[in-house]
Amino acid sequence: MASPVSSGDDSSRPLEPNGRLGVFDLVRGFSVVSMVIFHLCYDLKFIAGYDLEWFEPPLQDVWRCSISWVFLFIAGCMCTLSRNNLRRALEYGCVALAIWAVTTVAAVDTPISFGIIYCMSACTLVAWALQRIRALPRGYVAAALLFVAFISLLGLADGTIGVGPWTLGLPQELTMVEGLAWLGIPSASFSSGDYYPLLPYLLIYLCGAAMGTRWKERGYPSWAYDANLAPLNFVGRHALLVYVIHQPVILAVCALLGS
């Protein structure tokens, strides 16, 4: 197993044709592995009935955020390198639709509506549209403002916006409207086993896009190309496939353990 290495030349260079930035695969691979372990713990506790006393909030919430926030940020960074974000958005959308259908029919847990893959699809589609009109955010200031806005909207699904003493409640009439769950304002009747609506998560994605655009313009350092931990980079390159197959495998393991 190789370790992250540097070529010894840390000067920036333009993106190489057909070259991969190993650092993105590495970080994404780590997040995917963390996600698989998280879902294993979740299924063991809530489906197989194992007593994992430590798998509780706030650890559970912090762990979940550490996965999804990093994953969306890296996806935003990488959208600036894609040759066809529209195709990527449609691919994610098809997978999200299939996940909704399978989880609805299987009924093992709450069906997944507007989960993380839907979020990837919607965010990538927005990024594609912004690229088309040359309005994709760029630079450190834009990234910082987007991150602050993201933090401020984290309570949107619960009917609040803001942070701490500067929190405001949404009008009750708005939270009673059906059909806004995709945006980030679910009604009382809405439920999902995995919920990542367009807001606030588009903002962390665009935060990554703003940083990625800036880094692309300046050129990436050699170590960003060369960063490599072979298993994690492999997982990072095949993240969508791992996402699709990991839950059936984990559920099969839980079934064997419970038999």
Side-chain angles (χ1 to χ4, degrees):
M1 175 167 47
S3 59
V5 296
S6 171
S7 65
D9 176 12
D10 289 332
S11 60
S12 298
R13 66 179 191 252
L15 185 68
E16 300 173 353
N18 302 318
R20 291 194 68 91
L21 284 158
V23 67
F24 287 152
D25 287 334
L26 177 61
V27 175
R28 186 165 60 172
F30 180 85
S31 294
V32 170
V33 170
S34 181
M35 174 198 68
V36 171
I37 298 172
F38 179 91
H39 285 161
L40 174 62
C41 294
Y42 181 95
D43 291 352
L44 285 173
K45 180 167 184 172
F46 296 106
I47 295 178
Y50 281 80
D51 186 17
L52 302 182
E53 294 183 357
W54 56 270
F55 190 65
E56 298 280 354
L59 172 62
Q60 189 182 118
D61 297 330
V62 171
W63 190 358
R64 183 188 294 110
C65 291
S66 74
I67 298 166
S68 58
W69 294 14
V70 170
F71 197 72
L72 288 168
F73 178 83
I74 292 297
C77 292
M78 296 181 71
C79 86
T80 64
L81 308 175
S82 174
R83 294 190 180 95
N84 194 333
N85 277 313
L86 178 58
R87 185 190 68 190
R88 291 176 64 239
L90 294 176
E91 288 175 351
Y92 286 132
C94 290
V95 174
L97 183 61
I99 290 172
W100 169 80
V102 169
T103 56
T104 298
V105 172
V108 175
D109 198 2
T110 306
I112 294 176
S113 300
F114 310 120
I116 190 70
I117 301 301
Y118 152 79
C119 188
M120 290 285 294
S121 174
C123 291
T124 305
L125 185 61
V126 171
W128 169 79
L130 292 176
Q131 284 178 318
R132 295 281 291 180
I133 61 174
R134 304 193 177 203
L136 195 68
R138 63 182 62 202
Y140 303 136
V141 173
L145 292 174
L146 285 162
F147 186 74
V148 170
F150 168 69
I151 296 297
S152 299
L153 290 181
L154 280 174
L156 184 63
D158 297 320
T160 64
I161 58 174
V163 179
W166 299 282
T167 300
L168 299 174
L170 294 178
Q172 189 174 6
E173 294 78 10
L174 185 60
T175 61
M176 295 174 64
V177 175
E178 297 285 347
L180 294 180
W182 64 273
L183 179 62
I185 308 174
S187 64
S189 61
F190 176 79
S191 64
S192 178
D194 185 42
Y195 185 48
Y196 288 91
L198 191 60
L199 293 177
Y201 295 99
L202 171 63
L203 301 174
I204 191 70
Y205 185 101
L206 291 180
C207 176
M211 296 294 288
T213 301
R214 178 63 171 166
W215 292 332
K216 182 179 178 181
E217 290 172 347
R218 292 173 61 90
Y220 286 90
S222 295
W223 63 261
Y225 289 95
D226 300 333
N228 183 48
L229 276 170
L232 292 182
N233 284 63
F234 178 83
V235 171
R237 289 193 299 270
H238 302 88
L240 185 59
L241 177 62
V242 175
Y243 183 90
V244 169
I245 67 174
H246 83 282
Q247 272 288 40
V249 171
I250 291 174
L251 290 172
V253 171
C254 290
L256 289 173
L257 291 174
S259 61

